[in-house]
Amino acid sequence: MKCVALRAGELHPTRRLIPTLTTLAPTSPPSQSAPPRAIVTDGQGASREKTRPTPRTAKGPPVPALEPTIPGKLRFGRFPITDVSPVVEGGAFPAKAVVGEGIDVGATAFREGHDALGVSAVLYSPRGKEKQRVRLSELGTGLDRWHGVLTPTKEGAWTFTIEAWHDRYGTWHHNAAIKIPAGIDVELMLAEGAALLAEAADDDARTDADRGTFRAASYALADASHSAEERFAAGESEVVRAAVDRLPIRDLVTESEHFPLLVERERAGRGAWYEFFPRSEGAVRNVETGEWTSGTLRTAAERLPGVAEMGFDVIYLPPIHPIGRAFRKGPNNTLNAGPGDPGSPWAIGAAEGGHDAIHPDLGTFGDFDAFVSRAEELGLEVAIDLALQASPDHPWVRTHPEWFTKRVDGSIAYAENPPKKYQDIYPLNFDNDPEGLSREILRIVNLWIDHGVKIFRVDNPHTKPVWFWEWLLGRVAKKNPEVVFLAEAFTRPAMMKALGRAGFQQSYSYFTWRNTREELEEFLTMISKEWAAFYRPNLFVNTPDILTEYLQFGGKPAFKARAVLASTASPLWGVYAGYELIEHVARPGAEEYIDNEKYEYKQRDWAGEEAAGRSLAPYITRLNEIRRAHPALMDLQNLTLHSSTDDSTVVYSKHKVLPDGTKDTIIVVVNVDPHSARESTVNLDLAALDLEPELFDLEGRFRVDDLLSGQSWQWGEHNYVRLDAHVEPAHVLHVRR
């Protein structure tokens, strides 16, 4: 016996005829001239019709299809399936995943009456082959909400569906478990169970072992020489239940629409980023004259081993193009730059070239290629900045003035974010010549791809039209699907969502300003649940523009706490150079660094500070080691918040079942008050940890190992925790299995 998937309007081929949609017309016999039509619902209100083969009974000629009398398309199939996730804009945009990522799949599905309903999620490869089928679990009671995890195994355009079906075994077992102990219809219930399992034993889609299990159970259910309790026990044994779980006994299957799932390479959704300014790495200052000699791409390459040793995956370079001289900014964003001031790298363009050129101080394309090669040798990928703006000296200002906005006085409008003014930067205007400007930017992106760049950090994408990003990222993906774009979009939620849907693989986030327990819990829920289908947050702890008050005044404990949160809450996190040296002094009245590296060179003694014990490099290295050793930390949607009795103690866990069946579970506890010790009782949702019974001792406790301190404890549902911010503000606990 094979299970046949039914759509609305179909009959099960091996059971009684069931009018599935509405009352049958009493006088008009169904036409046999055409196969029946099925309604395939997408769970979001849309539907489509699909021709299905004429059903047959187990024996005999084709059975006439029974046509519904209500004309037109119906939105519901035999069993309603609604609110499918992850689905973006009804499937207009694909949900996002990376290879090996556990994707939370959910749907609301229900049925009439009291019979049992089963729900499954099915994953299809880019070639349309079924690759995974997972039975979903019901969340809560009476909510009809179902949940499970699908895991794609390679890159490409995948799809998934939701199936709702009559759970024949579940229905029988529920009824039998009530009636048999009560002495109601005992023989009838046992006979129905025997017939059901006998039918399953004839299903050639099952293994020989499972067919044998069903056959033996069917005989036992029908064996009147044993008590009713013994016979029923044979029909609900663990071995029978396991066989049913492997391939449920089902019919009346209703299938949702296929929903898109774009699976990208690992670095699109996982990675640790490190940002530095190449001109500072190897820069030398003449003590007598005060003049600087810029670092180069060659000297910057000497810093790469230190970055790789800390466990980072991506080295991100701010713009490396020629810098304009007109309105060049001086130290600390002053308006008057001296002759030796290098200017802001984001003021792109000078006589030496624009976005397709390299600043002469840094070297040549040959030097850049050598930098990329050295990074690859160390396991690093190079990300460069795509800042679509121009200095007044950019060649575009002369050759394509239509690409900018002219004011009524004839001048070109410079960038402003009142009260901030950026006189050294001209924004681009995509409305005057959208095709010409777009194709020029595509040319530039392709040029850098040809030089080994696979990752672009896009500056202020929210100041450009969303249609442009959809076009550009789509064109790049067709030829180079491995290329990743990170949106530096600290802006309104609607724009951040749109950029994710348009194709950006990653985005900066509000994390930088979420510091209290309440703020963090709200943020973590948003990124791991509400936005996860289209938005991948890269949790940078700092940037050249952002030094929060939390870091300014929290000292070393604040820097450690933020690093733990960023590196464990998201599979993507980032650090701007100097964080490991606990650089925390801000320009008065601003939320950015004093003597900002955006406007001047900066020398740092990396090795000396580490040798003196003043560097967080060993701590960051350990965090990246933990990330690489624990796959649970490399997924986004598996985060579960837990509670604590202290309003400054944040608790969450991450759990992942690996392809070989092994489990990895991490519990993170962070004191987000950098000024004191905090005590609390941590209350765990044990179901979210998926703990096997054998892990518990007689007191209901299990073993956890702190991956930061090396200590171990016995933990249970409720646990006393004391975290002194000045000693160690966090636990990163691994459940020992």
Side-chain angles (χ1 to χ4, degrees), residues 101-113:
E101 181 180 7
I103 301 300
D104 278 351
V105 178
T108 298
F110 54 96
R111 65 173 300 167
E112 79 295 340

PDB file of all heavy atoms in Angstrom, residues 101-113:
ATOM      1  N   GLU A 101      22.438  25.075   7.352  1.00  0.00           N
ATOM      2  CA  GLU A 101      21.724  25.830   8.383  1.00  0.00           C
ATOM      3  C   GLU A 101      20.377  25.182   8.678  1.00  0.00           C
ATOM      4  O   GLU A 101      19.653  24.773   7.769  1.00  0.00           O
ATOM      5  CB  GLU A 101      21.506  27.267   7.921  1.00  0.00           C
ATOM      6  CG  GLU A 101      20.783  28.142   8.936  1.00  0.00           C
ATOM      7  CD  GLU A 101      20.572  29.558   8.442  1.00  0.00           C
ATOM      8  OE1 GLU A 101      20.868  29.834   7.258  1.00  0.00           O
ATOM      9  OE2 GLU A 101      20.114  30.395   9.249  1.00  0.00           O
ATOM     10  N   GLY A 102      20.035  25.100   9.949  1.00  0.00           N
ATOM     11  CA  GLY A 102      18.718  24.626  10.333  1.00  0.00           C
ATOM     12  C   GLY A 102      17.700  25.737  10.160  1.00  0.00           C
ATOM     13  O   GLY A 102      17.804  26.779  10.794  1.00  0.00           O
ATOM     14  N   ILE A 103      16.718  25.519   9.291  1.00  0.00           N
ATOM     15  CA  ILE A 103      15.714  26.531   8.986  1.00  0.00           C
ATOM     16  C   ILE A 103      14.420  26.187   9.701  1.00  0.00           C
ATOM     17  O   ILE A 103      13.839  25.119   9.475  1.00  0.00           O
ATOM     18  CB  ILE A 103      15.468  26.626   7.470  1.00  0.00           C
ATOM     19  CG1 ILE A 103      16.772  26.974   6.746  1.00  0.00           C
ATOM     20  CG2 ILE A 103      14.391  27.656   7.164  1.00  0.00           C
ATOM     21  CD1 ILE A 103      17.382  28.285   7.170  1.00  0.00           C
ATOM     22  N   ASP A 104      13.958  27.080  10.552  1.00  0.00           N
ATOM     23  CA  ASP A 104      12.679  26.881  11.234  1.00  0.00           C
ATOM     24  C   ASP A 104      11.544  26.977  10.225  1.00  0.00           C
ATOM     25  O   ASP A 104      11.420  27.986   9.521  1.00  0.00           O
ATOM     26  CB  ASP A 104      12.478  27.939  12.319  1.00  0.00           C
ATOM     27  CG  ASP A 104      13.205  27.586  13.604  1.00  0.00           C
ATOM     28  OD1 ASP A 104      13.707  26.466  13.693  1.00  0.00           O
ATOM     29  OD2 ASP A 104      13.271  28.434  14.503  1.00  0.00           O
ATOM     30  N   VAL A 105      10.743  25.931  10.160  1.00  0.00           N
ATOM     31  CA  VAL A 105       9.603  25.895   9.254  1.00  0.00           C
ATOM     32  C   VAL A 105       8.346  25.771  10.099  1.00  0.00           C
ATOM     33  O   VAL A 105       8.296  24.983  11.050  1.00  0.00           O
ATOM     34  CB  VAL A 105       9.708  24.707   8.276  1.00  0.00           C
ATOM     35  CG1 VAL A 105       8.490  24.650   7.366  1.00  0.00           C
ATOM     36  CG2 VAL A 105      10.977  24.820   7.451  1.00  0.00           C
ATOM     37  N   GLY A 106       7.331  26.552   9.761  1.00  0.00           N
ATOM     38  CA  GLY A 106       6.101  26.506  10.532  1.00  0.00           C
ATOM     39  C   GLY A 106       4.889  26.697   9.655  1.00  0.00           C
ATOM     40  O   GLY A 106       4.975  27.174   8.519  1.00  0.00           O
ATOM     41  N   ALA A 107       3.736  26.317  10.170  1.00  0.00           N
ATOM     42  CA  ALA A 107       2.468  26.511   9.474  1.00  0.00           C
ATOM     43  C   ALA A 107       1.339  26.341  10.467  1.00  0.00           C
ATOM     44  O   ALA A 107       1.481  25.675  11.503  1.00  0.00           O
ATOM     45  CB  ALA A 107       2.316  25.517   8.322  1.00  0.00           C
ATOM     46  N   THR A 108       0.231  26.951  10.150  1.00  0.00           N
ATOM     47  CA  THR A 108      -1.009  26.684  10.862  1.00  0.00           C
ATOM     48  C   THR A 108      -1.813  25.706  10.021  1.00  0.00           C
ATOM     49  O   THR A 108      -2.066  25.968   8.836  1.00  0.00           O
ATOM     50  CB  THR A 108      -1.808  27.973  11.081  1.00  0.00           C
ATOM     51  OG1 THR A 108      -1.031  28.859  11.904  1.00  0.00           O
ATOM     52  CG2 THR A 108      -3.129  27.691  11.762  1.00  0.00           C
ATOM     53  N   ALA A 109      -2.171  24.570  10.590  1.00  0.00           N
ATOM     54  CA  ALA A 109      -2.935  23.548   9.868  1.00  0.00           C
ATOM     55  C   ALA A 109      -3.928  22.916  10.837  1.00  0.00           C
ATOM     56  O   ALA A 109      -3.609  22.694  12.005  1.00  0.00           O
ATOM     57  CB  ALA A 109      -2.003  22.488   9.279  1.00  0.00           C
ATOM     58  N   PHE A 110      -5.123  22.638  10.342  1.00  0.00           N
ATOM     59  CA  PHE A 110      -6.155  22.098  11.226  1.00  0.00           C
ATOM     60  C   PHE A 110      -7.178  21.341  10.386  1.00  0.00           C
ATOM     61  O   PHE A 110      -7.100  21.312   9.153  1.00  0.00           O
ATOM     62  CB  PHE A 110      -6.825  23.235  12.010  1.00  0.00           C
ATOM     63  CG  PHE A 110      -7.363  24.345  11.151  1.00  0.00           C
ATOM     64  CD1 PHE A 110      -8.692  24.368  10.761  1.00  0.00           C
ATOM     65  CD2 PHE A 110      -6.528  25.378  10.725  1.00  0.00           C
ATOM     66  CE1 PHE A 110      -9.184  25.384   9.964  1.00  0.00           C
ATOM     67  CE2 PHE A 110      -7.013  26.402   9.931  1.00  0.00           C
ATOM     68  CZ  PHE A 110      -8.346  26.406   9.551  1.00  0.00           C
ATOM     69  N   ARG A 111      -8.128  20.739  11.056  1.00  0.00           N
ATOM     70  CA  ARG A 111      -9.174  19.989  10.366  1.00  0.00           C
ATOM     71  C   ARG A 111     -10.469  20.055  11.171  1.00  0.00           C
ATOM     72  O   ARG A 111     -10.473  20.471  12.333  1.00  0.00           O
ATOM     73  CB  ARG A 111      -8.760  18.536  10.178  1.00  0.00           C
ATOM     74  CG  ARG A 111      -8.593  17.745  11.470  1.00  0.00           C
ATOM     75  CD  ARG A 111      -8.341  16.272  11.199  1.00  0.00           C
ATOM     76  NE  ARG A 111      -9.455  15.680  10.449  1.00  0.00           N
ATOM     77  CZ  ARG A 111      -9.397  14.483   9.865  1.00  0.00           C
ATOM     78  NH1 ARG A 111      -8.308  13.762   9.944  1.00  0.00           N
ATOM     79  NH2 ARG A 111     -10.431  14.022   9.212  1.00  0.00           N
ATOM     80  N   GLU A 112     -11.524  19.627  10.535  1.00  0.00           N
ATOM     81  CA  GLU A 112     -12.802  19.542  11.211  1.00  0.00           C
ATOM     82  C   GLU A 112     -12.837  18.293  12.079  1.00  0.00           C
ATOM     83  O   GLU A 112     -12.078  17.352  11.878  1.00  0.00           O
ATOM     84  CB  GLU A 112     -13.938  19.510  10.178  1.00  0.00           C
ATOM     85  CG  GLU A 112     -14.161  18.166   9.506  1.00  0.00           C
ATOM     86  CD  GLU A 112     -13.001  17.694   8.623  1.00  0.00           C
ATOM     87  OE1 GLU A 112     -12.171  18.531   8.212  1.00  0.00           O
ATOM     88  OE2 GLU A 112     -12.927  16.489   8.333  1.00  0.00           O
ATOM     89  N   GLY A 113     -13.721  18.278  13.046  1.00  0.00           N
ATOM     90  CA  GLY A 113     -13.919  17.077  13.845  1.00  0.00           C
ATOM     91  C   GLY A 113     -12.794  16.807  14.816  1.00  0.00           C
ATOM     92  O   GLY A 113     -12.023  17.696  15.190  1.00  0.00           O
TER      93      GLY A 113
END
